[in-house]
């Protein structure tokens, strides 16, 4: 018989939250991680990291558009 691996409960780390938020942005979150997030994570941590990632994404898109427009004006 195969025995399931027992995971000991531990506090969810910043990197666990960050990886979960990134996975959610791409829509590829695993069921195991989702269950871990809901059982061990605090909603405000995910909200804050989600807002931070969204802000970084918007700034990145803005910078790319500025670079493209700058390159187009120089050509």
């Amino acid at each position: 018989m195969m025995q399931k691996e027992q995971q000991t409960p531990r506090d969810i780390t910043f990197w666990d939250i960050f990886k979960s938020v990134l996975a959610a942005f791409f829509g590829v979150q695993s069921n195991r991680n989702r269950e871990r997030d809901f059982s061990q994570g605090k909603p405000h941590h995910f909200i804050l990291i989600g807002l931070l990632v969204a802000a970084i994404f918007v700034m990145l898109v803005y910078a790319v558009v500025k670079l493209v427009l700058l390159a187009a004006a120089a050509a």
Side-chain angles (χ1 to χ4, degrees), residues 15-70:
W15 292 112
D16 291 334
I17 295 170
F18 186 75
K19 288 187 290 186
S20 290
V21 168
L22 284 180
F25 266 77
F26 289 107
V28 294
Q29 182 73 296
S30 71
N31 192 39
R32 188 181 93 213
N33 286 347
R34 183 188 57 79
E35 289 176 1
R36 180 205 61 210
D37 295 343
F38 278 100
S39 66
Q40 297 176 3
K42 295 182 177 152
H44 64 275
H45 292 159
F46 290 95
I47 292 168
L48 289 173
I49 300 298
L51 289 173
L52 177 67
V53 170
I56 290 170
F57 176 74
V58 168
M59 288 187 291
L60 183 64
V61 169
Y62 179 78
V64 168
V65 169
K66 282 295 216 182
L67 278 171
V68 168
L69 290 176
L70 188 63

